[in-house]
Amino acid sequence: MTYEPIQLTAAQLQQFEDDGFLIIENLLPTELAHTLASRLNPLFHGEFETGIYPDEWYWRPGLSLPDVTREMCNAWKCDRTIASLVLSAEIGRLSATLAGWDGARIGQDSLWMKPPGAKAIAMHQDGAYIDYLDPPSMMTCWIALDDASVADGTLIYARGSHKWDLVDVSGEFHAPTKDYRWAMLQAAEKAGVTEPELVVVDVPAGGCAFHHGRTWHGLCKTTRTEGVFHSIGLHTLPAQARFHPTNAPGYIYGRYKRIDDLELDESFFPILWQKDGYRTPFLRDYCEDALLSRTVNRLTTASV
């Protein structure tokens, strides 16, 4: 199965506006999802094709607990197969269209591996962690690289929660000791929502969900007794985003800020897509576009 560009309907745009998320059951061809999934285990074992380490690497073989949900951030710098998805112009186009931006750049990717019995990831809002950006806006595309269900520890949303206040839950993010919904439930109460509606992202491999930077979401506990569940989150920013003039970016992303300069360097935050056709030039040679290259191949084959 080849990729066919998705044309978002007015109803889908309105659904995203109302709910704070949009689930699309078939974004990637199944074989592409499985190819991407096969790259995660080598990465978590320190096999970096480009020789560059990720910005964050949560879980080490032989050192970390076996039931912890594993996360790695900015693996696009380490592996060109992962980069071919993370840096796809289509991810930028769809994200920008939903967000109402003129263009989108990559802020960060997050690789996820959930072994049997893996602990939850606390429900949170991505936008709570980006006050070092101006504007502090973010879109996320979460993609299941295997079939996703509650037993796998899939993504959970609180419908309409993008209209609530921002809350930082970083202290209880990985393997929370409390109910993984605790911060979301407090935020809901503050927003006057007595019974927040939770939505399970139950999709086949290659299915995805786009969500607003303020939407409450998390990964539920895995109850499966065998197999590993793989997924990836692609966090995009407005193409015109810059560093905030006074809010410090922290020890990880602060390393990419130039002295006396608020611009986001495209070497580290490349622009994926803009309405005017611009795309960061080095991407052309760094990796293929996993989605658009398959579209081109399909069209070429059809014309023969």
Side-chain angles (χ1 to χ4, degrees), residues 28-51:
L28 307 184
T30 303
E31 70 273 13
L32 174 57
H34 290 163
T35 296
L36 291 159
S38 72
R39 298 302 307 142
L40 270 63
N41 193 56
L43 282 164
F44 278 96
H45 282 77
E47 298 179 19
F48 304 132
E49 174 192 1
T50 64

PDB file of all heavy atoms in Angstrom, residues 28-51:
ATOM      1  N   LEU A  28       0.139   5.987   7.691  1.00  0.00           N
ATOM      2  CA  LEU A  28       1.282   5.314   7.082  1.00  0.00           C
ATOM      3  C   LEU A  28       0.875   3.953   6.528  1.00  0.00           C
ATOM      4  O   LEU A  28       0.043   3.258   7.131  1.00  0.00           O
ATOM      5  CB  LEU A  28       2.392   5.068   8.105  1.00  0.00           C
ATOM      6  CG  LEU A  28       2.916   6.234   8.939  1.00  0.00           C
ATOM      7  CD1 LEU A  28       4.075   5.753   9.797  1.00  0.00           C
ATOM      8  CD2 LEU A  28       3.325   7.388   8.070  1.00  0.00           C
ATOM      9  N   PRO A  29       1.474   3.529   5.424  1.00  0.00           N
ATOM     10  CA  PRO A  29       1.318   2.139   5.007  1.00  0.00           C
ATOM     11  C   PRO A  29       1.856   1.215   6.101  1.00  0.00           C
ATOM     12  O   PRO A  29       2.831   1.545   6.787  1.00  0.00           O
ATOM     13  CB  PRO A  29       2.178   2.055   3.738  1.00  0.00           C
ATOM     14  CG  PRO A  29       2.318   3.462   3.267  1.00  0.00           C
ATOM     15  CD  PRO A  29       2.312   4.310   4.495  1.00  0.00           C
ATOM     16  N   THR A  30       1.241   0.050   6.265  1.00  0.00           N
ATOM     17  CA  THR A  30       1.622  -0.867   7.341  1.00  0.00           C
ATOM     18  C   THR A  30       3.090  -1.244   7.272  1.00  0.00           C
ATOM     19  O   THR A  30       3.788  -1.284   8.292  1.00  0.00           O
ATOM     20  CB  THR A  30       0.756  -2.145   7.282  1.00  0.00           C
ATOM     21  OG1 THR A  30      -0.620  -1.777   7.356  1.00  0.00           O
ATOM     22  CG2 THR A  30       1.081  -3.074   8.428  1.00  0.00           C
ATOM     23  N   GLU A  31       3.588  -1.508   6.071  1.00  0.00           N
ATOM     24  CA  GLU A  31       4.992  -1.936   5.957  1.00  0.00           C
ATOM     25  C   GLU A  31       5.948  -0.835   6.382  1.00  0.00           C
ATOM     26  O   GLU A  31       7.019  -1.104   6.950  1.00  0.00           O
ATOM     27  CB  GLU A  31       5.308  -2.419   4.537  1.00  0.00           C
ATOM     28  CG  GLU A  31       5.339  -1.348   3.445  1.00  0.00           C
ATOM     29  CD  GLU A  31       3.974  -1.066   2.829  1.00  0.00           C
ATOM     30  OE1 GLU A  31       2.956  -1.514   3.390  1.00  0.00           O
ATOM     31  OE2 GLU A  31       3.943  -0.388   1.775  1.00  0.00           O
ATOM     32  N   LEU A  32       5.594   0.426   6.120  1.00  0.00           N
ATOM     33  CA  LEU A  32       6.432   1.534   6.571  1.00  0.00           C
ATOM     34  C   LEU A  32       6.416   1.626   8.088  1.00  0.00           C
ATOM     35  O   LEU A  32       7.457   1.829   8.722  1.00  0.00           O
ATOM     36  CB  LEU A  32       5.956   2.848   5.951  1.00  0.00           C
ATOM     37  CG  LEU A  32       6.653   4.126   6.443  1.00  0.00           C
ATOM     38  CD1 LEU A  32       8.160   4.038   6.229  1.00  0.00           C
ATOM     39  CD2 LEU A  32       6.076   5.355   5.754  1.00  0.00           C
ATOM     40  N   ALA A  33       5.242   1.470   8.700  1.00  0.00           N
ATOM     41  CA  ALA A  33       5.153   1.491  10.160  1.00  0.00           C
ATOM     42  C   ALA A  33       6.041   0.415  10.770  1.00  0.00           C
ATOM     43  O   ALA A  33       6.761   0.652  11.743  1.00  0.00           O
ATOM     44  CB  ALA A  33       3.700   1.301  10.592  1.00  0.00           C
ATOM     45  N   HIS A  34       6.010  -0.778  10.198  1.00  0.00           N
ATOM     46  CA  HIS A  34       6.816  -1.880  10.735  1.00  0.00           C
ATOM     47  C   HIS A  34       8.311  -1.646  10.519  1.00  0.00           C
ATOM     48  O   HIS A  34       9.138  -2.009  11.364  1.00  0.00           O
ATOM     49  CB  HIS A  34       6.375  -3.194  10.098  1.00  0.00           C
ATOM     50  CG  HIS A  34       5.008  -3.638  10.544  1.00  0.00           C
ATOM     51  ND1 HIS A  34       4.269  -4.581   9.881  1.00  0.00           N
ATOM     52  CD2 HIS A  34       4.247  -3.242  11.604  1.00  0.00           C
ATOM     53  CE1 HIS A  34       3.109  -4.757  10.507  1.00  0.00           C
ATOM     54  NE2 HIS A  34       3.072  -3.949  11.541  1.00  0.00           N
ATOM     55  N   THR A  35       8.666  -1.041   9.390  1.00  0.00           N
ATOM     56  CA  THR A  35      10.080  -0.709   9.146  1.00  0.00           C
ATOM     57  C   THR A  35      10.581   0.286  10.187  1.00  0.00           C
ATOM     58  O   THR A  35      11.680   0.134  10.733  1.00  0.00           O
ATOM     59  CB  THR A  35      10.252  -0.115   7.736  1.00  0.00           C
ATOM     60  OG1 THR A  35       9.919  -1.110   6.769  1.00  0.00           O
ATOM     61  CG2 THR A  35      11.690   0.350   7.508  1.00  0.00           C
ATOM     62  N   LEU A  36       9.777   1.292  10.475  1.00  0.00           N
ATOM     63  CA  LEU A  36      10.153   2.275  11.491  1.00  0.00           C
ATOM     64  C   LEU A  36      10.246   1.620  12.866  1.00  0.00           C
ATOM     65  O   LEU A  36      11.192   1.881  13.622  1.00  0.00           O
ATOM     66  CB  LEU A  36       9.132   3.412  11.513  1.00  0.00           C
ATOM     67  CG  LEU A  36       9.134   4.310  10.273  1.00  0.00           C
ATOM     68  CD1 LEU A  36       7.812   5.047  10.145  1.00  0.00           C
ATOM     69  CD2 LEU A  36      10.293   5.300  10.329  1.00  0.00           C
ATOM     70  N   ALA A  37       9.305   0.751  13.195  1.00  0.00           N
ATOM     71  CA  ALA A  37       9.324   0.065  14.494  1.00  0.00           C
ATOM     72  C   ALA A  37      10.600  -0.746  14.669  1.00  0.00           C
ATOM     73  O   ALA A  37      11.165  -0.820  15.772  1.00  0.00           O
ATOM     74  CB  ALA A  37       8.099  -0.837  14.630  1.00  0.00           C
ATOM     75  N   SER A  38      11.089  -1.327  13.586  1.00  0.00           N
ATOM     76  CA  SER A  38      12.292  -2.174  13.673  1.00  0.00           C
ATOM     77  C   SER A  38      13.545  -1.383  14.013  1.00  0.00           C
ATOM     78  O   SER A  38      14.552  -1.958  14.427  1.00  0.00           O
ATOM     79  CB  SER A  38      12.500  -2.923  12.351  1.00  0.00           C
ATOM     80  OG  SER A  38      12.938  -2.045  11.312  1.00  0.00           O
ATOM     81  N   ARG A  39      13.504  -0.064  13.856  1.00  0.00           N
ATOM     82  CA  ARG A  39      14.676   0.763  14.145  1.00  0.00           C
ATOM     83  C   ARG A  39      14.780   1.132  15.622  1.00  0.00           C
ATOM     84  O   ARG A  39      15.845   1.534  16.091  1.00  0.00           O
ATOM     85  CB  ARG A  39      14.608   2.065  13.318  1.00  0.00           C
ATOM     86  CG  ARG A  39      14.616   1.882  11.822  1.00  0.00           C
ATOM     87  CD  ARG A  39      15.856   1.126  11.353  1.00  0.00           C
ATOM     88  NE  ARG A  39      17.065   1.768  11.861  1.00  0.00           N
ATOM     89  CZ  ARG A  39      18.135   1.089  12.279  1.00  0.00           C
ATOM     90  NH1 ARG A  39      18.139  -0.236  12.287  1.00  0.00           N
ATOM     91  NH2 ARG A  39      19.192   1.745  12.709  1.00  0.00           N
ATOM     92  N   LEU A  40      13.688   0.990  16.394  1.00  0.00           N
ATOM     93  CA  LEU A  40      13.688   1.501  17.770  1.00  0.00           C
ATOM     94  C   LEU A  40      14.588   0.697  18.700  1.00  0.00           C
ATOM     95  O   LEU A  40      15.367   1.279  19.467  1.00  0.00           O
ATOM     96  CB  LEU A  40      12.258   1.564  18.330  1.00  0.00           C
ATOM     97  CG  LEU A  40      11.539   2.899  18.084  1.00  0.00           C
ATOM     98  CD1 LEU A  40      11.359   3.167  16.592  1.00  0.00           C
ATOM     99  CD2 LEU A  40      10.186   2.924  18.791  1.00  0.00           C
ATOM    100  N   ASN A  41      14.505  -0.620  18.658  1.00  0.00           N
ATOM    101  CA  ASN A  41      15.318  -1.417  19.584  1.00  0.00           C
ATOM    102  C   ASN A  41      16.813  -1.171  19.389  1.00  0.00           C
ATOM    103  O   ASN A  41      17.540  -0.975  20.378  1.00  0.00           O
ATOM    104  CB  ASN A  41      14.984  -2.901  19.443  1.00  0.00           C
ATOM    105  CG  ASN A  41      15.555  -3.717  20.584  1.00  0.00           C
ATOM    106  OD1 ASN A  41      15.294  -3.448  21.756  1.00  0.00           O
ATOM    107  ND2 ASN A  41      16.349  -4.735  20.250  1.00  0.00           N
ATOM    108  N   PRO A  42      17.332  -1.166  18.160  1.00  0.00           N
ATOM    109  CA  PRO A  42      18.758  -0.831  17.986  1.00  0.00           C
ATOM    110  C   PRO A  42      19.122   0.544  18.544  1.00  0.00           C
ATOM    111  O   PRO A  42      20.194   0.712  19.136  1.00  0.00           O
ATOM    112  CB  PRO A  42      18.954  -0.883  16.470  1.00  0.00           C
ATOM    113  CG  PRO A  42      17.887  -1.809  15.979  1.00  0.00           C
ATOM    114  CD  PRO A  42      16.712  -1.571  16.877  1.00  0.00           C
ATOM    115  N   LEU A  43      18.231   1.522  18.367  1.00  0.00           N
ATOM    116  CA  LEU A  43      18.519   2.852  18.890  1.00  0.00           C
ATOM    117  C   LEU A  43      18.621   2.837  20.412  1.00  0.00           C
ATOM    118  O   LEU A  43      19.544   3.436  20.992  1.00  0.00           O
ATOM    119  CB  LEU A  43      17.432   3.834  18.447  1.00  0.00           C
ATOM    120  CG  LEU A  43      17.539   4.333  16.998  1.00  0.00           C
ATOM    121  CD1 LEU A  43      16.238   4.964  16.543  1.00  0.00           C
ATOM    122  CD2 LEU A  43      18.696   5.316  16.855  1.00  0.00           C
ATOM    123  N   PHE A  44      17.690   2.163  21.084  1.00  0.00           N
ATOM    124  CA  PHE A  44      17.738   2.114  22.549  1.00  0.00           C
ATOM    125  C   PHE A  44      18.929   1.302  23.056  1.00  0.00           C
ATOM    126  O   PHE A  44      19.277   1.383  24.232  1.00  0.00           O
ATOM    127  CB  PHE A  44      16.429   1.568  23.104  1.00  0.00           C
ATOM    128  CG  PHE A  44      15.348   2.605  23.209  1.00  0.00           C
ATOM    129  CD1 PHE A  44      14.402   2.753  22.200  1.00  0.00           C
ATOM    130  CD2 PHE A  44      15.282   3.459  24.304  1.00  0.00           C
ATOM    131  CE1 PHE A  44      13.405   3.724  22.285  1.00  0.00           C
ATOM    132  CE2 PHE A  44      14.296   4.429  24.396  1.00  0.00           C
ATOM    133  CZ  PHE A  44      13.354   4.569  23.386  1.00  0.00           C
ATOM    134  N   HIS A  45      19.561   0.543  22.170  1.00  0.00           N
ATOM    135  CA  HIS A  45      20.781  -0.176  22.536  1.00  0.00           C
ATOM    136  C   HIS A  45      22.031   0.570  22.056  1.00  0.00           C
ATOM    137  O   HIS A  45      23.121   0.007  22.020  1.00  0.00           O
ATOM    138  CB  HIS A  45      20.747  -1.598  21.972  1.00  0.00           C
ATOM    139  CG  HIS A  45      19.884  -2.530  22.778  1.00  0.00           C
ATOM    140  ND1 HIS A  45      18.509  -2.518  22.700  1.00  0.00           N
ATOM    141  CD2 HIS A  45      20.213  -3.476  23.696  1.00  0.00           C
ATOM    142  CE1 HIS A  45      18.026  -3.429  23.532  1.00  0.00           C
ATOM    143  NE2 HIS A  45      19.031  -4.012  24.149  1.00  0.00           N
ATOM    144  N   GLY A  46      21.848   1.846  21.685  1.00  0.00           N
ATOM    145  CA  GLY A  46      23.002   2.702  21.391  1.00  0.00           C
ATOM    146  C   GLY A  46      23.556   2.600  19.993  1.00  0.00           C
ATOM    147  O   GLY A  46      24.678   3.048  19.747  1.00  0.00           O
ATOM    148  N   GLU A  47      22.792   2.052  19.049  1.00  0.00           N
ATOM    149  CA  GLU A  47      23.252   1.959  17.660  1.00  0.00           C
ATOM    150  C   GLU A  47      22.760   3.179  16.890  1.00  0.00           C
ATOM    151  O   GLU A  47      21.611   3.228  16.442  1.00  0.00           O
ATOM    152  CB  GLU A  47      22.745   0.666  17.021  1.00  0.00           C
ATOM    153  CG  GLU A  47      23.264  -0.593  17.701  1.00  0.00           C
ATOM    154  CD  GLU A  47      22.718  -1.860  17.058  1.00  0.00           C
ATOM    155  OE1 GLU A  47      22.249  -1.806  15.894  1.00  0.00           O
ATOM    156  OE2 GLU A  47      22.744  -2.915  17.727  1.00  0.00           O
ATOM    157  N   PHE A  48      23.654   4.166  16.744  1.00  0.00           N
ATOM    158  CA  PHE A  48      23.288   5.432  16.115  1.00  0.00           C
ATOM    159  C   PHE A  48      23.969   5.539  14.753  1.00  0.00           C
ATOM    160  O   PHE A  48      25.190   5.751  14.660  1.00  0.00           O
ATOM    161  CB  PHE A  48      23.682   6.602  17.011  1.00  0.00           C
ATOM    162  CG  PHE A  48      23.082   6.519  18.397  1.00  0.00           C
ATOM    163  CD1 PHE A  48      23.864   6.712  19.526  1.00  0.00           C
ATOM    164  CD2 PHE A  48      21.740   6.214  18.562  1.00  0.00           C
ATOM    165  CE1 PHE A  48      23.319   6.626  20.798  1.00  0.00           C
ATOM    166  CE2 PHE A  48      21.177   6.124  19.826  1.00  0.00           C
ATOM    167  CZ  PHE A  48      21.975   6.326  20.946  1.00  0.00           C
ATOM    168  N   GLU A  49      23.185   5.412  13.710  1.00  0.00           N
ATOM    169  CA  GLU A  49      23.703   5.373  12.342  1.00  0.00           C
ATOM    170  C   GLU A  49      24.583   6.576  12.006  1.00  0.00           C
ATOM    171  O   GLU A  49      25.627   6.439  11.372  1.00  0.00           O
ATOM    172  CB  GLU A  49      22.519   5.309  11.371  1.00  0.00           C
ATOM    173  CG  GLU A  49      22.881   5.411   9.907  1.00  0.00           C
ATOM    174  CD  GLU A  49      21.661   5.630   9.022  1.00  0.00           C
ATOM    175  OE1 GLU A  49      20.536   5.720   9.556  1.00  0.00           O
ATOM    176  OE2 GLU A  49      21.849   5.728   7.800  1.00  0.00           O
ATOM    177  N   THR A  50      24.180   7.764  12.444  1.00  0.00           N
ATOM    178  CA  THR A  50      24.913   8.981  12.092  1.00  0.00           C
ATOM    179  C   THR A  50      26.072   9.278  13.046  1.00  0.00           C
ATOM    180  O   THR A  50      26.867  10.178  12.785  1.00  0.00           O
ATOM    181  CB  THR A  50      23.964  10.190  12.112  1.00  0.00           C
ATOM    182  OG1 THR A  50      23.486  10.383  13.460  1.00  0.00           O
ATOM    183  CG2 THR A  50      22.785   9.986  11.175  1.00  0.00           C
ATOM    184  N   GLY A  51      26.137   8.550  14.166  1.00  0.00           N
ATOM    185  CA  GLY A  51      27.148   8.821  15.181  1.00  0.00           C
ATOM    186  C   GLY A  51      26.767   9.911  16.151  1.00  0.00           C
ATOM    187  O   GLY A  51      27.533  10.239  17.060  1.00  0.00           O
TER     188      GLY A  51
END
